[in-house]
Amino acid sequence: MIALLMRDIRLATRAGGGFGLGLAFFLIVVVLVPFGVGPQTELLARIAAGILWIGALLACLLSLDRIFALDFEDGSLDLLATAPVPMEAVAAIKALAHWLTTGLPLVLAAPVLGVLLSLPVQGYMPVILSLLLGTPALSMIGAFGAALTVGLRRGGLLLSLLVLPLYVPTLIFGAEMARRGVDGLDTTTPMLMLAGITCGTIALLPFAAAAVLRVNLR
Amino acid sequence: MSSIWVYANPKKFIDTTDRFLPALAVMSVSCLVVGLVWGFFFTPDDFRQGSTVKIIYLHVPAALMAINAWLMMLVASIIWIVRRHHVSARAARAAAPVGVVMTLIALATGALWGQPMWGTWWAWDPRLTSFLILFLFYLGYIALWEAIEDADTAADLTSILCLVGSVFALLSRYAVNFWNQGLHQGASLSLDKEENVADVFYFPLLVCIAGFVLLFIALVFLRTQTEIRARRMRALMARDRMEA
Amino acid sequence: MPDLGKYAEAVLSSYAVSLVLLIILVALSWRRAVRIKSALREIEERQKKDG
């Protein structure tokens, strides 16, 4: 399983693996927003937390179809299915690899991009913390969506349509926590809810993703 | 009648529903006509909401059926996963478009009602937002059905999506509640008499709800038959090609 | 026709929108049902003749 994780990370970070694409996309979204809404500092400060969350979510979405598609095409997913590792573990590891190569860089980039959006000083910690808590859920839900659409030729758009509604609770609690942090309010309740959602998805969705993968490999 | 599972036989299902369909259609249309005419022509205006209260006869039943259609799909999906009866998977597929239309009606009448009452077509109120999210779930579910060619694979994948989606839809409902307190009034129908709408509006509303429920059942029966026949047709055509 | 007062537009358009949507749904379901039914019958007849 560790070997699988290392292999996935190596594949993703190699040239052409798509590592950094998500980060670049995140950067571009954040740069484009001030052009769209105007350069007023107080307006940007108010929406900064939300923009960072939306940007991270979209950047995550962009890289989802890579989770299983390449392995499905070259047949290594079939090999994994017959390997002694259970399918649930494969799905979980794939999601973890996706988070390490996409989610974690996004979390680390968020404070830098927060400067561009004139995020208030007291907002940095809650924004980073909420992204850190929330992005694993995004990766896991995304892995489920990617497993659903893995057999389809034009699955990318469908994947977004399927995954976006599933992202709603995570986005609501994550952005709410970041917003409350920026306003200097207590963030405990949304933080606990966000952590709960993340734990729940990590605990349960590997089973759904594995079931779906088995159907698609039939 | 021995057991409900005899209707898992496609032929038996078609025969039985064929017998009930005309009666169901007549009953649902008459309930709808009676309820809507009663509500539209013979109920007084509300002292606060004026004549807009008449929208309730469409809005509430449609919203109710939008949720019930999803619940029915959930039950049908579970039956498919556990017992693998084709009729069940076909029924879930057949119900989805009906659910979409119900959600659309609820959203549209809600917007038209909200405009004079709240002064806005749309507000990010928990109930409205939840319905919008429900609408997105329906779209994704139908899109997945359409995208996959093999019928059994499609049934498997959509039923798992329906299960996972239900959990997330429920989560979204609470998340949205937490996110924004809204304008929408509480439940219009409940066993608690205090909360209910007044009797003059209540009885025609009940008739309308009965009409919507019957219409939903009739449509699901009809569409499930169609799905079963389409599946059989594909099988026969495949055999044709094999022989040729 | 009851007097709908100043809200006539909202009430009438809700009824119109809902009824149109319902009728479209019923019409589409019906049309597909009839088409598939006749197509299936045709194929079954043909196979009976052949086989």
Side-chain angles (χ1 to χ4, degrees):
Chain A
M1 282 166 72
I2 309 271
L4 179 61
L5 179 63
M6 295 316 289
R7 169 184 167 275
D8 269 21
I9 292 174
R10 260 205 308 280
L11 277 178
T13 46
R14 217 166 49 190
F19 178 74
L21 264 183
L23 267 181
F25 182 81
F26 192 27
L27 172 71
I28 288 173
V29 168
V30 168
V31 170
L32 285 184
V33 164
F35 296 142
V37 301
Q40 299 93 331
T41 312
E42 60 278 26
L43 175 64
L44 284 177
R46 210 167 63 235
I47 61 174
I51 299 299
L52 287 174
W53 254 94
I54 296 277
L57 190 145
L58 290 177
C60 197
L61 190 71
L62 196 70
S63 52
L64 284 181
D65 58 339
R66 311 190 70 95
I67 298 184
F68 293 116
L70 296 176
D71 282 351
F72 183 74
E73 278 163 20
D74 67 8
S76 41
L77 206 56
D78 292 291
L79 283 180
L80 284 174
T82 52
V85 191
M87 213 59 190
E88 285 78 4
V90 172
I93 292 289
K94 289 269 179 191
L96 178 61
H98 177 262
W99 182 72
L100 286 175
T101 52
T102 312
L104 198 57
L106 290 177
V107 176
L108 297 178
V112 183
L113 298 178
V115 177
L116 290 178
L117 293 172
S118 48
L119 184 71
V121 183
Q122 75 274 19
Y124 280 92
M125 264 326 278
V127 166
I128 298 169
L129 205 59
S130 67
L131 282 172
L132 197 61
L133 277 174
T135 42
L138 298 186
S139 288
M140 195 59 241
I141 297 169
F144 169 68
L148 268 179
T149 53
V150 72
L152 300 171
R153 249 158 291 141
R154 292 177 302 278
L157 207 58
L158 181 64
L159 174 62
S160 319
L161 183 61
L162 294 178
V163 164
L164 282 178
L166 300 178
Y167 275 175
V168 169
T170 319
L171 175 63
I172 287 180
F173 286 118
E176 180 74 21
M177 177 184 166
R179 197 163 48 235
R180 288 193 183 187
V182 170
D183 293 344
L185 300 170
D186 180 31
T187 58
T188 316
T189 318
M191 186 175 76
L192 290 179
M193 294 301 286
L194 184 64
I197 286 177
T198 303
C199 293
T201 49
I202 291 174
L204 297 175
L205 273 184
F207 294 97
V212 164
L213 277 178
R214 277 194 210 102
V215 171
N216 267 330
L217 288 174
R218 209 160 44 198
Chain B
M1 189 158 52
S2 49
S3 140
I4 189 173
W5 301 117
V6 296
Y7 300 105
N9 175 341
K11 181 147 181 13
K12 179 85 180 154
F13 179 87
I14 288 189
D15 287 350
T16 315
T17 49
D18 253 347
R19 229 171 335 155
F20 284 116
L21 254 179
L24 268 175
V26 169
M27 267 156 62
S28 71
V29 169
S30 44
C31 272
L32 280 176
V33 168
V34 168
L36 290 178
V37 167
W38 184 359
F40 190 81
F41 292 99
F42 303 107
T43 55
D45 289 352
D46 186 65
F47 68 97
R48 271 181 302 125
Q49 310 216 6
S51 61
T52 55
V53 74
K54 292 185 196 303
I55 299 176
I56 203 176
Y57 306 115
L58 292 163
H59 182 70
V60 170
L64 210 64
M65 288 325 290
I67 296 168
N68 285 349
W70 186 273
L71 287 180
M72 186 233 124
M73 279 158 51
L74 176 63
V75 172
S77 299
I78 293 174
I79 293 178
W80 163 252
I81 291 175
V82 176
R83 302 198 48 141
R84 307 199 74 77
H85 294 312
H86 284 292
V87 173
S88 180
R90 304 301 115 192
R93 179 180 196 175
V98 186
V100 170
V101 171
M102 293 298 171
T103 317
L104 264 181
I105 291 178
L107 284 172
T109 53
L112 286 164
W113 198 352
Q115 216 288 321
M117 284 303 107
W118 303 334
T120 172
W121 300 101
W122 180 261
W124 289 96
D125 160 279
R127 284 192 181 220
L128 276 66
T129 314
S130 306
F131 259 75
L132 198 61
I133 297 169
L134 182 66
F135 183 64
L136 296 179
F137 272 111
Y138 271 124
L139 287 189
Y141 179 84
I142 294 174
L144 189 62
W145 261 114
E146 296 299 326
I148 302 168
E149 273 163 38
D150 181 65
D152 277 9
T153 311
D156 278 334
L157 296 184
T158 49
S159 52
I160 295 175
L161 175 69
C162 184
L163 247 71
V164 173
S166 304
V167 175
F168 276 89
L170 209 64
L171 264 178
S172 308
R173 180 78 185 89
Y174 287 101
V176 163
N177 251 337
F178 174 82
W179 169 69
N180 190 2
Q181 309 300 326
L183 300 162
H184 203 287
Q185 59 173 314
S188 331
L189 289 174
S190 65
L191 294 175
D192 183 8
K193 204 75 179 121
E194 289 293 300
E195 275 188 32
N196 260 336
V197 289
D199 277 354
V200 249
F201 308 122
Y202 189 58
F203 293 115
L205 180 58
L206 278 189
V207 178
C208 283
I209 289 175
F212 268 78
V213 171
L214 290 168
L215 179 68
F216 173 75
I217 298 175
L219 278 173
V220 169
F221 276 0
L222 180 67
R223 298 180 64 95
T224 310
Q225 282 190 356
T226 310
E227 295 291 339
I228 294 172
R229 289 199 173 104
R231 184 185 150 80
R232 181 165 159 69
M233 199 168 83
R234 270 196 301 274
L236 288 178
M237 275 156 85
R239 205 164 67 193
D240 248 10
R241 271 197 302 274
M242 292 266 274
E243 282 166 3
Chain C
M1 193 67 187
D3 179 25
L4 296 171
K6 57 182 171 171
Y7 300 132
E9 214 171 278
V11 177
L12 289 177
S13 47
S14 330
Y15 273 72
V17 168
S18 309
L19 292 180
V20 165
L21 280 174
L22 283 180
I23 288 169
I24 290 176
L25 174 69
V26 171
L28 286 181
S29 307
W30 187 269
R31 202 181 63 168
R32 179 137 187 273
V34 170
R35 274 195 187 163
I36 297 273
K37 206 171 174 174
S38 66
L40 178 65
R41 192 173 300 137
E42 194 179 298
I43 290 181
E44 276 178 337
E45 302 266 303
R46 201 174 61 215
Q47 296 211 331
K48 225 175 278 166
K49 242 186 299 169
D50 295 343

